[in-house]
């Protein structure tokens, strides 16, 4: 077992879901340098679903958290006291609700649909044209929803042009993999394309995207 004193132990892999947590941790660390984390190359069954990512919070009695959206909300509630990456649920309930809406949109829509598209178009042993088309078309439809939301906006949640939050971190790692899914370019979705470029330009995002690479 590790003897590290870093507050978090992260079990992950550089998939879209895994990268969401590492990006959020790097964004937190950029604001709160003491919130560092450790990686280990093996995975203990701390997640009943048996999937990455999962997080152990050593500051709170080795409390285990799984599911990307739950991990980010847990970290925000417990460690982002200045609300850099989310909104105060008490003082800004509407903005907080927007974060939840777009986070769950990505968690229950973009991720599962694009993941199924990747499966049937890239990995399934049986060629099922209906499934390939159905999930690719649904992924494109969800990109279209993001396109509408991002008109005259920089980020998904918040007043005015918005601010970079959990909601963006939940969504952009999937959109980043659009070419693998079969959407060669984002030219059809210019607002999404610009949003993705803004996210990828953030230094902490760049660090988070490198986590887990060999």
């Amino acid at each position: 077992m590790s003897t590290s004193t870093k507050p978090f132990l992260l079990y992950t892999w550089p998939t879209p879901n895994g990268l969401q947590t590492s990006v959020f941790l790097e964004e937190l660390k950029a604001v709160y340098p003491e919130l560092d984390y450790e990686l280990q190359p093996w995975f203990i069954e701390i997640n009943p679903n048996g999937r990455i990512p999962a997080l152990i919070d050593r500051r709170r009695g080795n409390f285990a958290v799984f599911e990307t959206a739950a991990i980010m909300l847990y970290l925000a509630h417990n460690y982002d006291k200045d609300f850099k990456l989310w909104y105060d649920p008490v003082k800004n309930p509407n903005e907080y609700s927007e974060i939840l809406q777009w986070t769950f949109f990505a968690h229950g829509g973009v991720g599962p649909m694009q993941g199924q598209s990747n499966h049937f178009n890239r990995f399934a042993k049986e060629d099922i044209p209906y499934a390939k088309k159905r999930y690719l078309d649904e992924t494109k439809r969800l990109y279209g929803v993001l396109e509408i939301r991002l008109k005259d906006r920089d980020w998904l949640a918040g007043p005015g042009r918005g601010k970079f939050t959990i909601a963006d971190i939940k969504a952009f790692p999937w959109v980043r993999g659009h070419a693998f899914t079969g959407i060669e370019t984002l030219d059809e979705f210019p607002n999404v394309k610009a949003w993705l470029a803004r996210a990828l330009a953030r230094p902490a995002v760049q660090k988070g995207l490198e986590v887990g690479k060999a």
Side-chain angles (χ1 to χ4, degrees), residues 93-104:
N94 291 350
E95 289 80 3
Y96 177 68
S97 177
E98 283 188 351
I99 286 178
L100 294 183
Q101 291 170 53
W102 288 102
T103 296
F104 296 158

Side-chain angles (χ1 to χ4, degrees), residues 63-194:
F63 186 73
V65 194
F66 69 95
E67 290 292 334
T68 53
I71 291 171
M72 290 192 291
L73 286 167
Y74 171 86
L75 290 169
H77 276 272
N78 287 284
Y79 294 104
D80 187 4
K81 301 303 183 182
D82 296 325
F83 301 99
K84 298 294 187 180
L85 297 166
W86 66 313
Y87 286 97
D88 187 332
V90 177
K91 295 181 179 179
N92 304 105
N94 291 350
E95 289 80 3
Y96 177 68
S97 177
E98 283 188 351
I99 286 178
L100 294 183
Q101 291 170 53
W102 288 102
T103 296
F104 296 158
F105 168 82
H107 191 83
V110 178
M113 294 301 102
Q114 191 164 339
Q116 290 294 332
S117 182
N118 290 347
H119 172 75
F120 284 108
N121 283 282
R122 293 281 187 173
F123 303 113
K125 295 180 180 180
E126 182 180 356
D127 184 16
I128 307 176
Y130 171 79
K132 293 164 73 172
K133 182 178 185 301
R134 184 258 191 278
Y135 289 112
L136 181 58
D137 286 351
E138 182 62 8
T139 300
K140 291 179 179 178
R141 186 190 72 80
L142 295 170
Y143 282 20
V145 176
L146 292 172
E147 178 71 12
I148 293 170
R149 175 59 175 174
L150 290 164
K151 182 181 179 181
D152 300 323
R153 295 183 61 87
D154 293 330
W155 308 110
L156 291 172
R161 301 195 68 86
K163 78 174 183 180
F164 185 73
T165 69
I166 294 169
D168 302 289
I169 298 173
K170 188 72 190 92
F172 89 78
W174 279 106
V175 178
R176 174 175 172 262
H178 63 86
F180 185 83
T181 302
I183 304 172
E184 293 300 323
T185 76
L186 292 176
D187 291 346
E188 182 181 352
F189 311 101
N191 297 327
V192 173
K193 185 176 183 179

